[in-house]
Amino acid sequence: MIGANGQIGTALMPVLQNVYGADHVIASDLFAPAPGNGIFEKLDATNANELAGIVKKYKVTQIYHLAAILSAKGEADPVWAWNLNMQTLLNVLETARAFDLQKVFVPSSIAVFGAHAQKEQTLQNTYLDPTTVYGVSKVASENWSVYYHKRFGMDIRSLRYPGVISYQSMPGGGTTDYAVDMYHKALANEDYVCYLTPDTRLPMIYMDDALRATISLMEAPAEQVKIRSSYNLAGLSFTPADLLQAIRVHFPDFKCSFLPDFRQSIADSWPGSIDDNEARKDWGWKPAFDLERMTTAMFSGLSSLLSKY
């Protein structure tokens, strides 16, 4: 796994260890995580030789490529974000081709959508005109995945993740990270200033659902994987005002004000909800968490982490 210290990698690592065994999963990132979490290799994924060395050393058969510069962070330095996102992707694809790997997972995002996609129930096949360098790089990633599948017969699979909500790690620079921030602030008994307007509705997914979707897709027989760009994936959609109301069920005195910044324009370019019928039809996807259940799970998970550390 590349990018094991990120939001999704942190949560996905123990799931993969449970599926394949701890001694069969290699985590990699720029910095080592806490000790005792399985096999780890320090990796700069922009260095193709380093990546190839790890694949050869462990006889790797699959790669989960989770390293990327996200939407809000990428806008601070678009050229750097593009170069990193593209170079790491091409290194992964070329290494996978050279070593004839069985499967590659390269996630995409709702950031691929822009102003010309329908706002609600955005279809699988629609306009992709992103407004951020992150979205532009993910559209390119989807096209590269299709190219390598058609040209070289490689088994590359992908999901267009909505905003992922989790307690296992801190937010990593995405536009939808306000939701995770709100949970943290409420539990700490602190006020929160949201950078989006209260009525900004966006597609989200709880981490448990995101992980289950990822494993379900990767374990599906190849003939069931009909889409080789990236599957639409939906969990739930809500606004900051909806989330505030859900949090106040647990913390009635929690206060949140709203002061939109540059991230508002990014959010405004994205859909409010996603049509994921292709994923449901092809490999049986169905989300399990609504806003109420997710909120309960978030506070339970965060409380457990705080008591542990």
Side-chain angles (χ1 to χ4, degrees), residues 25 38 40 89 102 123 133 195 203 211 254 264 278 287 294 305:
V25 181
F40 177 83
L89 170 69
Q102 293 174 5
L123 297 174
V133 67
Y195 50 77
L211 298 179
F254 177 60
Q264 183 65 51
E278 299 302 318
M294 181 180 74
L305 283 182

Side-chain angles (χ1 to χ4, degrees), residues 237-283:
S237 290
F238 58 83
T239 67
D242 294 332
L243 181 57
L244 177 59
Q245 184 176 1
I247 288 174
R248 281 179 172 166
V249 171
H250 301 262
F251 295 89
D253 296 328
F254 177 60
K255 295 182 176 62
C256 177
S257 56
F258 300 91
L259 187 64
D261 64 13
F262 74 97
R263 286 167 285 195
Q264 183 65 51
S265 62
I266 297 174
D268 287 343
S269 73
W270 290 350
S273 59
I274 299 292
D275 182 323
D276 61 358
N277 281 326
E278 299 302 318
R280 293 171 184 255
K281 178 179 64 177
D282 289 354
W283 41 273

Side-chain angles (χ1 to χ4, degrees), residues 1-124:
M1 179 196 300
I2 300 170
N5 293 343
Q7 183 192 22
I8 294 175
T10 300
L12 181 59
M13 187 66 185
V15 175
L16 292 176
Q17 289 173 331
N18 185 57
V19 172
Y20 298 109
D23 56 345
H24 289 88
V25 181
I26 297 89
S28 68
D29 212 313
L30 291 170
F31 305 101
N37 291 331
I39 303 171
F40 177 83
E41 290 279 348
K42 184 178 179 181
L43 172 65
D44 176 357
T46 63
N47 187 320
N49 291 330
E50 284 187 16
L51 175 57
I54 293 172
V55 169
K56 185 175 181 180
K57 177 180 178 180
Y58 292 98
K59 297 182 173 61
V60 169
T61 59
Q62 301 182 28
I63 293 178
Y64 286 71
H65 176 44
L66 304 179
I69 304 301
L70 303 183
S71 58
K73 189 174 181 181
E75 292 308 286
D77 193 340
V79 174
W80 166 71
W82 167 263
N83 286 338
L84 188 146
N85 289 352
M86 284 296 96
Q87 190 60 64
T88 57
L89 170 69
L90 291 173
N91 287 349
V92 165
L93 294 178
E94 277 298 291
T95 300
R97 183 176 70 86
F99 287 89
D100 196 23
L101 301 193
Q102 293 174 5
K103 298 175 191 174
V104 178
F105 179 71
V106 181
S108 188
S109 164
I110 60 167
V112 298
F113 300 117
H116 290 90
Q118 64 191 71
K119 192 70 174 174
E120 297 298 332
Q121 290 299 301
T122 303
L123 297 174
Q124 174 67 50

